[in-house]
């Protein structure tokens, strides 16, 4: 039976939820997927670091029984008050590094270094962090290819909804000419509540109270989160290497409550849409902006925290993928699906040979 040893970098909502999935579904994973998972290291900015590479690895149940803010790894055997991220990533004998730290839209750090350290150490990486993928995805994929490891990031665009994996696997033989999507649940929820009668300020406050919006909702409300997702998706399905300057971004502050309600009265619905399309000369045009969509549009009915992306193809026309676009469990499932993808790639003979060739290049 194949076993993968995991190092969890960051132990906030997402990796904590991944630990819950591992603890709760170990038997299912073994029976249905043919592998087991053992967590051998956890690092966290507040809790420190914990390493146990012997026996069953880290016992997750006691950690999950403690409130997140009360964890202190230094009190446990193998623990330290220092996160020791670089040492853990480079030196602890893990097979897969699951990176789930905060997103930095400016330069991708510290997640960028976390990914690089893992790849350079010959370890597979899965991450939900948009920063390094959007800003340095091409270079990181090439680095992973050279080292013969997998670099997976399904959770960076639509949380647990497998939009990237679906596009890679199911659109073979099709020409994808562009896409447009509602890719931020917070902004979508706020627009829906404003349409129902709330002010923007009250709608944002309600979203925060429900856990849909961060204490500082700027990245969601002003479209910066969607901007990074457009960059990632354009790279995957259109082969475009876009920087933030290539994706003009207009957020919800460009709208008034009257704009939203007037559109509703006219049979239109405002959505914060991220889009990219291929021009006739082969270059890619992209943007993020509020758009008033007719009710029959594929994205008009997307409500609340649900996300959706409509892909425009040559043979099938428009193909729309919809599903949860946020949530700690949903995003943790994306990491688990990445682990499953790594297992499939490294246990398929052709994939193994591809990885070995990449490592020899």
């Amino acid at each position: 039976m194949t076993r993968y040893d995991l190092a969890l970098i960051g132990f906030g909502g997402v990796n904590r939820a991944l630990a819950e999935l591992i603890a709760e579904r170990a038997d299912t994973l073994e029976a249905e997927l043919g592998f087991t998972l053992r967590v051998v290291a956890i690092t966290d900015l507040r809790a420190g670091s914990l390493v146990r590479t012997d026996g069953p690895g880290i016992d997750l149940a006691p950690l999950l029984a403690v409130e997140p803010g009360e964890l202190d790894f230094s009190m446990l055997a193998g623990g330290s008050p220092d996160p020791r991220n670089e040492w853990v990533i480079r030196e602890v004998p893990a097979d897969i590094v699951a990176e789930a730290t905060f997103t930095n839209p400016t330069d991708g750090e510290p997640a960028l270094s976390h990914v690089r350290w893992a790849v350079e150490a010959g370890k597979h990486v899965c991450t939900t962090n948009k920063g390094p993928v959007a800003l340095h995805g091409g270079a990181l994929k090439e680095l992973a290819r050279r080292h013969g490891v997998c670099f997976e990031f399904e959770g960076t665009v639509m949380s647990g909804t497998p939009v990237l994996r679906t596009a890679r696997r199911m659109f073979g033989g099709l020409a994808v000419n562009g896409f447009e999507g509602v890719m931020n649940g917070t902004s979508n929820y706020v627009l829906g509540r404003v349409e129902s009668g709330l002010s923007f300020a009250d709608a944002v406050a309600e979203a925060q109270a429900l856990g849909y919006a961060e204490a500082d909702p700027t990245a969601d409300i002003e479209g910066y989160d969607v901007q990074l997702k457009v960059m990632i998706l354009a790279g995957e399905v259109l082969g475009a290497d876009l920087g933030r300057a290539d994706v003009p971004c207009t957020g919800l502050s460009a709208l008034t409550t009257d704009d939203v309600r007037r559109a509703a009265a006219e049979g239109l619905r405002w959505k914060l849409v991220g889009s990219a399309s291929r021009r006739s000369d082969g270059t890619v045009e992209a943007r993020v902006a509020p758009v008033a969509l007719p009710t029959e549009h594929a994205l008009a009915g997307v409500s609340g925290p649900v996300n959706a992306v409509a892909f425009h193809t040559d043979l099938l026309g428009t193909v729309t993928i919809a599903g949860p676009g946020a949530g700690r469990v949903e995003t943790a499932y994306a990491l688990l699906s990445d682990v499953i993808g790594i297992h499939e790639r490294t246990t398929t003979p052709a994939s193994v040979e591809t990885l070995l060739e990449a490592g020899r290049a």
Side-chain angles (χ1 to χ4, degrees):
M1 176 68 66
T2 301
R3 185 188 75 194
Y4 297 106
D5 287 348
L6 270 61
L8 309 184
I9 308 303
F11 203 56
V14 174
N15 263 345
R16 187 179 174 93
L18 176 61
E20 292 169 359
L21 291 176
I22 293 170
E24 294 168 1
R25 305 201 174 195
D27 293 342
T28 300
L29 291 173
E30 182 175 352
E32 295 185 4
L33 301 175
F35 63 82
T36 61
L37 296 175
R38 183 178 74 155
V39 177
V40 296
I42 303 174
T43 73
D44 185 76
L45 187 62
R46 295 183 179 85
S49 56
L50 181 62
V51 177
R52 291 293 300 272
T53 59
D54 58 321
I58 294 173
D59 186 359
L60 297 173
L63 303 184
L64 297 173
V66 178
E67 290 297 317
E70 298 176 4
L71 275 174
D72 182 356
F73 292 151
S74 68
M75 304 298 291
L76 304 173
S80 167
D82 184 350
R84 301 183 295 175
N85 285 323
E86 183 171 7
W87 178 81
V88 167
I89 292 170
R90 289 188 183 276
E91 303 300 333
V92 173
D95 302 300
I96 301 173
V97 172
E99 209 287 339
T101 60
F102 66 91
T103 292
N104 177 344
T106 303
D107 60 12
E109 292 290 2
L112 174 61
S113 290
H114 297 163
V115 174
R116 282 177 173 160
W117 294 336
V119 171
E120 290 167 355
K123 297 168 183 176
H124 305 297
V125 184
C126 51
T127 185
T128 59
N129 198 308
K130 294 178 286 293
V133 184
L135 301 173
H136 305 281
L140 291 173
K141 285 188 283 187
E142 174 59 21
L143 185 66
R145 187 196 68 79
R146 293 204 313 268
H147 284 270
V149 297
C150 300
F151 174 44
E152 301 291 332
F153 43 89
E154 182 61 65
T156 58
V157 175
M158 278 178 59
S159 185
T161 302
V163 64
L164 295 178
R165 197 161 282 117
T166 299
R168 290 178 192 141
R169 295 183 178 182
M170 305 306 293
F171 289 169
L174 297 176
V176 178
N177 301 312
F179 63 83
E180 53 188 333
V182 173
M183 292 180 276
N184 183 272
T186 300
S187 60
N188 202 39
Y189 180 85
V190 167
L191 283 170
R193 295 300 288 144
V194 171
E195 191 176 286
S196 299
L198 293 185
S199 68
F200 270 103
D202 288 343
V204 170
E206 184 175 275
Q208 289 171 321
L210 292 171
Y212 294 152
E214 301 289 343
D216 179 359
T218 304
D220 294 323
I221 300 302
E222 294 307 318
Y224 306 133
D225 173 74
V226 177
Q227 184 185 49
L228 296 179
K229 293 175 178 179
V230 167
M231 292 162 62
I232 294 169
L233 198 52
E236 291 299 296
V237 302
L238 298 175
D241 183 13
L242 301 179
R244 294 186 69 187
D246 301 315
V247 188
C249 187
T250 303
L252 299 191
S253 60
L255 297 177
T256 66
T257 54
D258 286 342
D259 291 331
V260 176
R261 292 166 192 167
R262 188 182 309 113
E266 296 172 357
L268 302 172
R269 303 197 72 186
W270 283 100
K271 299 292 178 183
L272 185 62
V273 176
S275 62
S277 60
R278 196 183 306 281
R279 301 186 183 97
S280 58
D281 64 359
T283 59
V284 171
E285 178 181 23
R287 71 168 187 159
V288 177
V291 180
L293 301 174
T295 54
E296 64 270 17
H297 192 283
L299 301 178
V302 178
S303 60
V306 174
N307 285 188
V309 177
F311 295 93
H312 305 304
T313 74
D314 60 341
L315 299 181
L316 297 181
T318 299
V319 177
T320 303
I321 299 172
R328 57 187 293 274
V329 173
E330 292 85 350
T331 309
Y333 173 73
L335 287 174
L336 181 58
S337 74
D338 283 342
V339 172
I340 295 169
I342 290 168
H343 173 71
E344 292 174 347
R345 288 181 61 187
T346 56
T347 55
T348 301
S351 295
V352 170
E353 183 58 29
T354 298
L355 288 169
L356 290 174
E357 287 296 331
R360 290 193 287 265

